[in-house]
Amino acid sequence: MIDATHDPARTSWVASANGHTDFPIQNLPFGIFSPPGGQPRGGVAIGDEILDLKAALELGLFEGTAKDAAQAAAGATLNALFALGTAPRAALRARLVRLLDANGAERATVEPHAGRLLHRAADCTLHLPAAIGDYTDFYAGISHATNVGKLFRPDNPLLPNYKYVPIGYHGRASSIRHSGFDVRRPNGQRKRPDEAEPTFGPSRNLDYELELGIFVGPGNALGEPVSIHGASEHIAGFCLLNDWSARDIQGWEYQPLGPFLAKNFITTVSPWVVTPEALAPFRIPQPARPEGDPTPLPYLLDAADQAQGALDITLEVLIETPGLKEKGLPSHRLSRGSSSDLYWTAAQFVAHHTSGGCNLAPGDLMGTGTISGPTPDSYGSLLELSQGGKAPLTLASGETRRFLEDGDTVIITGRATREGFVSIGFGACRGTILPAHG
């Protein structure tokens, strides 16, 4: 719910937070960081600083439910915080707002300890926010699904089940990495249409996929589905996600069982987990389905979820290339779209994922699937932007791209804005392509 923590007039005594693109006091996302010479621990992004939860606990700044949540969040992963659920997480966030408020009663007590509490983010190392036991990637971007379908089935781009079932596949949790981790071009079997047999070698069609990540909060017991009516209580927060994809390997291997080596070599997530509470002002109704589309089956349909289960987050993809750097040119924007283009909500992901009895656990990760809009400037992958490689993009440097080349860096950003509220963001989700081994 929207409350005093979202007050646009509120500022922080941490000066860099005021007007910060991503991390004003109205956001306060959680993550795991190491200060210089220190061990991984829980922290909160505030402007250009990171608030050290371990130090805050040692100073006795929390009590009651907020203290329990701070203790759960102060370790080397956020899994324990995620397991507590909504109320303790919200209590911790509300307490942090009071501690950091420029005009709050706590300032005189807290600010003198700023040297112990705060670390410059630029001096710290960021880590994965959770120990991710399982990872599932959905396919809920209907424009992306339609665009890709048209490349292979021009007359029937969407298969009949798409509008009934939140399509997904189980990905590889062990290869998920935080923003900034280099992406090694994968080797694999690939076969062009004009080749009689496949060959083994570096992927020739390496791509990115623009997605949101969703961290699971409290889990469910094996065999006990989560109702759509309470599914949102099982969501701990959101991040940006890049599901790197080797399209040529994928095209050869995906029939009949779907993604495998084409998507298991790395997935990149942004390191800060933006809470559902921080995103409350940016909730919007799930877009109405086009006339003729089926109503979701009852186990996926909840009035409250349809009324406010979608998010309005502007998502951008930028590319940095060797040629752009050589000419002193800025990053080239490949696309800008919105998370509102998803066909299913996060709550529907949870309800469907558990509907057969599958047990989710705190820290499990779900991807939304590639988020594309209806026009080329909002497409969330090079597969769409280059029409499967047939229409290369020309960058400001004069370089062209069908797919990603070694030395390219892909940067995904996300920002939630709404009139009357302070905008919040996620931080960057980036990765640089390294040559394949061998």
Side-chain angles (χ1 to χ4, degrees):
M1 295 180 61
I2 296 174
D3 57 28
T5 66
H6 305 104
D7 183 354
R10 191 186 296 272
T11 57
S12 175
W13 54 262
V14 180
S16 64
N18 303 319
H20 197 277
T21 302
D22 289 326
F23 305 133
I25 193 173
Q26 288 80 5
N27 191 350
L28 303 182
F30 297 98
I32 301 297
F33 78 103
S34 296
Q39 295 299 309
R41 66 194 69 179
V44 178
I46 176 72
D48 295 330
E49 310 285 332
I50 299 175
L51 184 141
D52 189 327
L53 288 170
K54 182 174 179 288
L57 283 163
E58 291 170 350
L59 288 167
L61 298 180
F62 303 108
E63 59 184 20
T65 302
K67 181 178 180 180
D68 294 339
Q71 290 173 330
T77 74
L78 294 177
N79 296 61
L81 174 66
F82 293 170
L84 293 178
T86 301
R89 187 182 63 237
L92 175 55
R93 180 173 176 275
R95 176 60 177 163
L96 289 165
V97 168
R98 292 193 294 273
L99 292 174
L100 294 166
D101 192 332
N103 300 305
E106 307 280 357
R107 179 174 181 174
T109 302
V110 179
E111 190 175 11
H113 300 286
R116 183 176 174 186
L117 284 170
L118 299 175
H119 304 271
R120 273 200 348 131
D123 297 334
C124 297
T125 301
L126 297 177
H127 306 279
L128 279 179
I132 301 169
D134 278 298
Y135 163 51
T136 302
D137 196 28
F138 284 90
Y139 195 48
I142 189 168
S143 292
H144 172 74
T146 302
N147 294 336
V148 173
K150 285 179 179 177
L151 292 174
F152 303 102
R153 298 180 304 274
D155 297 328
N156 186 31
L158 285 182
L159 296 175
N161 65 343
Y162 186 87
K163 295 181 179 181
Y164 287 93
V165 179
I167 303 295
Y169 73 93
H170 291 285
R172 185 72 185 176
S174 66
S175 56
I176 298 173
R177 293 293 184 270
H178 56 80
S179 176
F181 199 95
D182 289 334
V183 179
R184 179 72 64 177
R185 183 181 296 272
N187 287 301
Q189 287 194 28
R190 65 273 157 93
K191 179 183 176 299
R192 291 193 180 107
D194 59 350
E195 294 176 329
E197 296 181 347
T199 57
F200 181 86
S203 171
R204 297 175 289 214
N205 296 349
L206 186 58
D207 201 359
Y208 64 86
E209 291 194 353
L210 166 63
E211 305 191 23
L212 285 178
I214 303 159
F215 279 102
V216 173
N220 62 297
L222 183 65
E224 298 295 329
V226 173
S227 166
I228 182 62
H229 307 297
S232 62
E233 295 298 310
H234 292 261
I235 295 170
F238 298 80
C239 65
L240 304 175
L241 186 150
N242 187 339
D243 182 36
W244 304 93
S245 300
R247 300 300 188 186
D248 46 351
I249 298 173
Q250 182 181 5
W252 175 240
E253 74 175 4
Y254 84 101
Q255 300 184 57
L257 292 181
F260 183 31
L261 301 184
K263 288 177 173 284
N264 73 358
F265 55 98
I266 191 171
T267 300
T268 304
V269 295
S270 55
W272 295 105
V273 181
V274 179
T275 64
E277 293 74 49
L279 288 166
F282 313 104
R283 291 275 177 185
I284 58 173
Q286 177 67 1
R289 292 188 165 196
E291 185 176 351
D293 281 13
T295 300
L297 295 178
Y299 81 100
L300 292 172
L301 188 59
D302 174 70
D305 184 49
Q306 291 297 299
Q308 58 179 9
L311 291 167
D312 188 10
I313 302 168
T314 299
L315 301 165
E316 288 192 347
V317 182
L318 307 171
I319 188 170
E320 294 176 352
T321 69
L324 288 167
K325 292 177 183 177
E326 287 173 8
K327 295 186 176 182
L329 296 171
S331 304
H332 180 97
R333 189 173 75 201
L334 294 172
S335 67
R336 174 186 284 170
S338 172
S339 59
S340 63
D341 287 309
L342 291 167
Y343 196 73
W344 301 96
T345 68
Q348 287 173 320
F349 293 155
V350 172
H352 182 66
H353 203 318
T354 62
S355 61
C358 176
N359 54 316
L360 301 179
D364 283 356
L365 181 66
M366 297 182 291
T368 59
T370 306
I371 302 173
S372 294
T375 57
D377 61 351
S378 61
Y379 290 172
S381 69
L382 281 174
L383 180 66
E384 298 164 87
L385 287 167
S386 71
Q387 299 176 34
K390 297 176 183 176
L393 283 70
T394 300
L395 308 181
S397 58
E399 299 167 283
T400 59
R401 288 292 184 273
R402 295 171 53 255
F403 292 98
L404 297 171
E405 297 187 7
D406 295 345
D408 289 350
T409 299
V410 176
I411 306 160
I412 295 174
T413 64
R415 197 172 190 209
T417 60
R418 178 182 170 187
E419 187 175 354
F421 292 90
V422 173
S423 299
I424 65 173
F426 289 75
C429 179
R430 69 163 61 216
T432 300
I433 311 300
L434 299 182
H437 281 301

